[in-house]
Amino acid sequence: MVHSAYDCVQLVADCPSKIDAVESYGSKLLAACSDGSLRIYSPQCHSQPSDHHSPLHQEPYALEKTLAGFARRPLISMEVLHSRELLLSLSESIAFHRLPSFETFAVITKAKGANAFDWDDRRGFLCFARQKRVCIFRHDGGRGFVEVKEFGVPDVVKSMCWCGENICLGIRREYVILNATNGALSEVFTSGRLAPPLVVSLPSGELLLGKENIGVFVDQNGKLLPEGRICWSEAPTEVVIQKPYAAALLPRFVEIRSLRDPYPLIQTVVLRNVRHIRHSNNSVILALDNSIHGLFPVPLGAQIVQLTASGNFEEALSLCKLLPPEDASLRAAKEGSIHIRYAHYLFENGSYEEAMEHFLASQVDITYVLSLYPSIILPKTTIVHEPQKLDIYGDASYLPRGSSGLSDDMEYPSTSHMLESDEHVALESKKTSHNMLMALIKYLQKKRNSFIEKATAEGTEEVVLDAVGNNFASYNRFKKTNKGRGSIPISSGAREMASILDTALLQALLLTGQSSAALELLRGLNYCDLKICEEILQKGNHHAALLELYKCNSLHREALELLHKLVEESKSSQSEITHRFKPEDIVEYLKPLCGTDPILVLEFSMLVLESCPTQTIELFLSGNIPADMVNSYLKQHSPNMQARYLELMLAMNENAISGNLQSEMDEKVYSPTRKKLLSALESISGYNPETLLKRFPPDALYEERAILLGKMNLHELALSLYVHKLNVPEMALSYCDRVYESMHQTSVKYPNNIYLTLMQIYLNPRRTTASFEDKIINLLSPQNTTTRKVGSATSVKPKGARVTKKIASIEGAEDTKVSSSSTDSSRSDGDGDEFSEDGSTIMLDKVLDLLGRRWDRINGAHALKLLPRETKLQRFIYYLQDLLSFLGPLVRKSSEMQRNCSVIKSLRQSENLQHDSTCFAQVKDELYSQRKAAVKISSESMCSLCHKKIGTSVFAVYPNGSTLVHFVCFRDSQNMKAVAKGSQMRRRL
């Protein structure tokens, strides 16, 4: 569509001589006339001096001066070399003039007769054509020009232009590339018969070659470019490039076209007798016979407004990209506005995908675009922008209308009564609506990644703020919760927009029949509105998608109820469900829930336990649901499956059977005959257990064999059966209790040795197993003819020295005291990190459980010596925590005993003190009475030893109260007595 890209202004009028060439220097115009003169024009209203960067003015120009005799012959062409402040002119030869004085600087005499030239400003190279020769000169600074090369060509050159290091020549009716190094020629293509060759250099370094009325784009090597071709109205004689347009001089007018494919016509400037067209720094100069006109570009903003108003949106958008960087905000605003208008235009004309591309480029809010789709239901919290009402939907009554007000119960005319034309219209309308939705899907999918990233980042930011206690930042925000039903409140901002997008995208996918894509959307991270999507999925019977919607919102109970309903309906052959659901689907759904909601898993697993028991029990085992919890739930809700569960669990994981489960299993799976056998072995006495033991199978009836071994007082072997064969530590503990109580009643010494034996079995599983096998082989061998009678005391104490000896050898000195050496040696068995000396894993948890439950029946010191050593401090602390259940009661009991002893001791001391206090009082009274005696010392008092006066010397009084002596005399007499007594003792020896 044509618009005004340039304003044509007459600059020079009524030139006295015919204008042969035109050029601009800054704001001045240079006109080379046919009389050999050079006329210089300047703007009339601008008298201030200007440099070569100054633009031309849109006003009349006046003659500033005339340089007569500038050239001997009329100029063919001239060019201002701005970087070197020179004017190059081609007349009878090529001359260079200094600017602004126009003084002749150099003349290339070899260029005499030249008809074409081109200047490479980057390298300072000049090439010109003279007859059938091409010469290359180089500007040598201030010293002039130096010849570089000269090559011969097949014919006279009509047009030429530098292309990189080479030269493109238009000769005869073809184009060739001349290698400027060696002169080699390579053909490009023919130029046509009607118009002469035309070579035009583009700002990118590529070339535009004329072929009749077509301009062909080639690279510097002459290869065609994929940009297409410019088709002029006629064959041009000259072409100038001023981005984003190309102006061509045609015989009757100047044609301006866009340089953007498909190169549409922009403007036509009709002027008669235009002889030359020249590019200036801000305009295009047109030289007529006696006048000069200038084509000045219309401001880009005005052009954009023109193009947008006329519906030429593509051209308007291309012009927006040419706006200067300082107008970035203006550019973005204009581009957004144009994209929106262009999108509406395309949408109205059925180009939905292209319209969505422009909506996408405009960065308009998605609610603006979604408001074009009344069949899409959006969350109620959303404020929808109402665009211009467009009648583009046709008859979309087949779509569920969320906001259009149409009722689903409306009756439509029967197809049989429709006319054929009406059927065609309906079909086209449906096709149009489908295309609209498909375009919307692509638009939403392109927007989705950024929306999801922002929503996720917003959620993460709230979590971080809450974690550091910044409640103020998250005040009045709604957290998206995955618990409960109903509409999920989400915070305003990124997550709200993500919810709008995902909700709309899900509906569009369903309306276009892309159920699998909708399912994938729900399986990933999404923000679909629960209430809206649930209603749509239920109405459309999209069961699989509805399951995923519940799942992603953690509504597992609703999902499982729906899944169970679908499984039941799938069993019916009359069901309308297209996808058949199986009980295994419930099991698969429950697997991720085992660790988070085991009660829900147990509740809904009851629905499929009978139909697929193996998969369900595998679910229990793989999900690490406590077996006791499963067994208890089965016992309460599905007692008929409890026994089967226990059987399958034992078959799958024998080590997972606890004592409680073993008891449950015994109650469920033991036959009446076997129960009678177990009861008889325990209650009946008088049979020979060793003889009966030999008749039992070696790899079965372990519980019965343990009873017989107990009757034989082979406690270690019996306990090994309970621990390693039956895997029921509870039965082993019960066995120890019975033995302990029996020994306690008969006052057997060291009754707690039975518990230490069980500890050794736990701490040395492999050795006790191997010992058990060897002892059983020896016990059942034909050479062993020892018989044991079961009596009233056989379970407590063996009869006979021989039997006692055998039991002692088997049980590891049961009737002897556990010495420190034996405990030290057994302690070494458990050294290491829960591994015994033979490399087997010790059953440390069982040991700790035993110590915690029977601490009052076990010698604590001996038990601690049996435990494995721990060297690492961290491991030792953890180990002590496990021992608290044993050490706690033990220490409390020891403390209580010590406290009781301390109290008794204190009472006895108190009693003794009371007796002593009476005696002490008597002695004290006597002492007091004795101390009351007074001794009178006078000047006449004499020492009874030395018979001298006492005087003021220190004295001593004998117990009689009357004998006085000097203290020195008393001490000396005492020392003499000691010496005499020592001499007597030596004489006796």
Side-chain angles (χ1 to χ4, degrees), residues 500-705:
I500 296 171
L501 187 148
D502 280 351
T503 304
L505 178 58
L506 179 66
Q507 294 176 70
L509 291 172
L510 295 175
L511 291 173
T512 53
Q514 302 182 65
S515 300
S516 58
L519 195 61
E520 290 299 322
L521 172 65
L522 292 171
R523 284 175 178 168
L525 176 62
N526 69 88
Y527 291 84
C528 292
D529 185 90
L530 175 61
K531 185 176 181 181
I532 294 176
C533 296
E534 180 184 29
E535 182 179 350
I536 292 173
L537 294 173
Q538 287 176 347
K539 187 175 181 180
N541 293 328
H542 300 286
H543 306 298
L546 183 57
L547 285 172
E548 290 298 332
L549 178 67
Y550 287 146
K551 185 176 182 180
C552 68
N553 285 278
S554 295
L555 300 177
H556 302 300
R557 180 173 295 277
E558 286 78 0
L560 289 167
E561 289 174 352
L562 174 62
L563 187 56
H564 176 60
K565 177 183 176 183
L566 295 174
V567 170
E568 294 300 321
E569 292 180 359
S570 299
K571 296 178 181 178
S572 175
S573 59
Q574 299 179 354
S575 175
E576 298 180 358
I577 300 177
T578 56
H579 174 72
R580 297 290 175 179
F581 293 88
K582 301 176 293 184
E584 288 79 1
D585 295 332
I586 297 180
V587 176
E588 290 297 322
Y589 190 96
L590 292 173
K591 284 183 178 179
L593 304 179
C594 292
T596 58
D597 199 345
I599 299 300
L600 185 67
V601 173
L602 291 174
E603 177 182 347
F604 282 90
S605 62
M606 298 301 103
L607 304 176
V608 295
L609 184 58
E610 294 185 3
S611 57
C612 47
T614 304
Q615 295 91 327
T616 307
I617 295 174
E618 287 179 352
L619 168 68
F620 297 150
L621 295 176
S622 62
N624 295 325
I625 301 179
D628 292 331
M629 179 187 294
V630 177
N631 181 66
S632 176
Y633 200 89
L634 288 173
K635 187 175 183 180
Q636 182 179 358
H637 296 87
S638 183
N640 58 329
M641 293 300 296
Q642 183 187 10
R644 190 170 182 185
Y645 162 71
L646 294 173
E647 292 176 358
L648 291 173
M649 186 175 181
L650 180 62
M652 293 178 181
N653 191 356
E654 182 179 354
N655 296 326
I657 302 296
S658 65
N660 295 333
L661 291 182
Q662 181 66 39
S663 301
E664 294 280 352
M665 187 182 302
D666 293 341
E667 295 178 5
K668 293 293 181 181
V669 303
Y670 280 0
S671 64
T673 304
R674 190 175 181 190
K675 290 182 179 178
K676 293 179 180 180
L677 175 60
L678 290 171
S679 178
L681 292 175
E682 291 177 349
S683 58
I684 299 176
S685 59
Y687 60 85
N688 190 326
E690 185 173 351
T691 303
L692 188 59
L693 184 63
K694 294 179 180 180
R695 303 183 61 181
F696 277 25
D699 55 352
L701 300 177
Y702 293 117
E703 187 172 354
E704 291 80 353
R705 292 161 63 88

Side-chain angles (χ1 to χ4, degrees), residues 3 5 243-245 297-307 316 318-324 334:
H3 75 281
K243 277 193 169 184
Y245 303 117
V298 175
L300 289 177
Q303 294 188 56
I304 292 171
V305 172
Q306 291 182 50
L307 292 170
S318 67
L319 290 183
C320 287
K321 294 179 174 59
L322 299 178
L323 290 172
K334 284 185 174 295

